[in-house]
Amino acid sequence: MRKIIIDDNIRGFANKYLKEMENECPNVIKDLENLRDNVIKYNPGIDKKIIENYINEIISDYPNLLITEPKDWNFKKYNKILGVNSDILITEVKYNTKRKVSAGKPIEYRSAKLYDRIMFCLRYEKARTILGEIHQEMGLKACIYCNTQPARSANRNVFYEMDHLKPQSKYPFLGTCFYNLQPSDGSCNKRKSDNPCDFQLYINDSKEELSPFRFLPRITGIEPNTKCIEIKFVGKNGNTTTESKQYNTTFHLEDLYAAYKDVVDDIYWQNYKMCGSMVAAYKATFGHDVTRAELTKHLLHCPYDESKIHEDVLRKLKVDTMKQLDDAGLLLKD
């Protein structure tokens, strides 16, 4: 729900991923060469020139493909190789024999879609386990699309899915690219694959809006008897935009967040309770004047900081609810 500008810090994580992939997957190029040769050998009717050129291009670009930034993704080059035959990537191809060929017996082949075999050679499953722990270091611990489900990894076990921003079936050359793999829960991953979504986690343009969306709780009643009756998903300025409407339609966010109205209620209630006497009590506890940052962190159980919403679930809703209180002049009001 919030984009990340690619800076030297992010590039540091990308380079760590690159080094680990090179150390743990030393045979990627050899495997791609074998795939190229076998597909050409065992599929006499296939366009051999496309197979040769496409896989050779991946070999030529590897391992830089692992950390190629979005601004440098060269779709034109790969699409030109495919020409009018882009369906070749989803074509079932023979890539090996199941057993040694015996005289008088028909050959049995192993087969799969071409892009699947490219992904296998690129070692996607290994990339996923490596990247999972790097995501934890980066603070990417919640689904970037809905922010309601955890994205956790430990001991090389990844307990979430990784969405390919650019689908592997169309762009297998980006199948293990650091910047193309986005932490997602299973439901959001499936919904995105079936519906349009332009949300891109990593961006190069520092002028681009990082947080284009906002949750807008609808509150009824007067303190202390306020009640959240609806949570709208809108654009940054509080109005429904073409982008927020598309995003909401794809991920069903307003329906999903109807189950989290109690989170809003709790923040409103806790904020109401945080009166002058409570502030004095905190001051006595901490032994110094309590800052607004300390009070809001205590109220939210997390920093009141939009940039940290990926660190845990429901952070976006909590921060946006606080902003609503802040904008109304009600936040930490005596």
Side-chain angles (χ1 to χ4, degrees), residues 145-161:
Y145 296 118
C146 72
N147 197 234
T148 67
Q149 300 300 313
R152 299 283 180 162
S153 177
N155 300 322
R156 288 297 174 94
N157 288 305
V158 181
F159 301 101
Y160 60 95
E161 296 187 8

Side-chain angles (χ1 to χ4, degrees), residues 142-189:
C143 172
I144 66 159
Y145 296 118
C146 72
N147 197 234
T148 67
Q149 300 300 313
R152 299 283 180 162
S153 177
N155 300 322
R156 288 297 174 94
N157 288 305
V158 181
F159 301 101
Y160 60 95
E161 296 187 8
M162 290 190 190
D163 173 59
H164 287 80
L165 174 66
K166 299 301 181 184
Q168 52 186 301
S169 58
K170 294 182 179 180
Y171 310 101
F173 64 95
L174 293 175
T176 53
C177 177
F178 175 90
Y179 298 104
N180 194 41
L181 295 170
Q182 308 192 145
S184 171
D185 72 88
S187 178
C188 286
N189 195 9

